[in-house]
Amino acid sequence: MEFILIIGKESSKLKSLKTSLSDRYRLLFLENISKLFDQCLTDMPDLIIIMDGDINDRIVASITRNLKADPLFNHLPVLVIVDEIRPWNSPEREIFFDDYIKAPLDNDDLLLRCHLCINRAKRFLEINPLTKLPGNISIIKEIQKRIDDNVPFALSYADIDFFKPFNDKYGFSRGDEVIRLLGRLLTNIVKMHSPDEGFVGHVGGDDFVFIIPPEKIESVCEELIRHFDSIIPGFYDATEREKGFIEATDREGNKKVFPFLSLSIGVAHNRYRRFSHYGQVSEIATELKVYAKKFPGSCYKIDRRKG
């Protein structure tokens, strides 16, 4: 079920929203807009609705501007509910929301606007439905933008080792929980270390991408691995936790023993070499990720070649 975050105080308008949307969407209500970023880090919504949305209000304007400027969250659509139509369409005025609807609310119109906002974001930005993170199109654009802007960056490819046997043994539901966990860990850790420049994308399955300044890459990888390794045993049944491994069938149909899930991370950066195309840096990050997989347990490998 798609998730809508609604920002506003208790009112008849809020009750109307609950009545109109609760059958079709998962809803969460937040009174204080200043807590928007914390909530997005905890549980990323498919749509943000701002009630009583006077976009001329400095706090609302500042927070929505920061949201749309943030590489981690700028894909999230924002719908504003207004009491009156203001002259926002002046050419020199920046607008930081994606759509608006005028009160009093018409139920059918509200449902349609929500549906259009969510689907427009999915269509243009290819958001992964499991993690709500940007997909391949956005990842490519983000890498190429940093190359074109000639800013220092480190591109990291991460995936989960032994994910298929885990999925086969425990089922897709538990596998999806592990993928969501990794998405949340990445988002929180990248945001903490690089609040203005960090980016996280979900290639698909158990493959993720994150981009941060090169000088922060080691601390981010180490923290990510530490948290991932400490949490993962909790996803195994007690018997397997005690053993420290599972028995499952490999891709050739043979029964084998598999260790706990771990992370392999490959990192490419532009400290020592220039790139002109996203494919060049992606190829190096992939190569380093494959190399990291040769080592037992969670591991990251950074390209340290200077030529």
Side-chain angles (χ1 to χ4, degrees), residues 221-286:
C221 286
E222 286 168 6
E223 186 169 347
L224 176 63
I225 284 173
R226 186 171 68 252
H227 284 290
F228 184 85
D229 287 351
S230 68
I231 295 169
I232 277 302
F235 284 89
Y236 289 82
D237 289 349
T239 307
E240 277 75 29
R241 266 202 310 274
E242 210 171 298
K243 292 180 184 174
F245 62 85
I246 62 170
E247 294 179 12
T249 304
D250 66 12
R251 295 180 188 275
E252 287 74 42
N254 303 312
K255 270 276 192 188
K256 285 183 68 176
V257 167
F258 295 93
F260 282 179
L261 298 173
S262 55
L263 279 182
S264 289
I265 306 169
V267 183
H269 56 84
N270 60 351
R271 260 182 172 165
Y272 308 128
R273 65 178 91 190
R274 295 286 299 273
F275 300 103
S276 59
H277 188 265
Y278 74 88
Q280 296 169 314
V281 65
S282 298
E283 184 178 355
I284 293 171
T286 301

Side-chain angles (χ1 to χ4, degrees), residues 148-202:
D148 295 341
D149 291 346
N150 196 28
V151 296
F153 72 95
L155 169 70
S156 305
Y157 276 16
D159 80 3
I160 303 173
D161 306 315
F162 313 113
F163 185 72
K164 185 183 182 302
F166 176 90
N167 226 19
D168 290 344
K169 182 170 183 63
Y170 290 119
F172 290 108
S173 177
R174 202 179 299 191
D176 285 351
E177 282 301 314
V178 171
I179 290 172
R180 275 193 284 264
L181 163 74
L182 180 53
R184 286 194 300 270
L185 282 176
L186 273 170
T187 302
N188 278 273
I189 292 169
V190 168
K191 185 68 178 172
M192 184 177 67
H193 284 267
S194 186
D196 300 320
E197 300 161 292
F199 172 84
V200 179
H202 188 174

Side-chain angles (χ1 to χ4, degrees), residues 88-107:
W88 293 331
N89 58 348
S90 122
E92 64 277 0
R93 184 175 182 81
E94 288 186 276
I95 297 176
F96 301 101
F97 55 94
D98 301 278
D99 205 347
Y100 72 92
I101 186 169
K102 189 175 182 303
L105 300 174
D106 175 82
N107 185 62

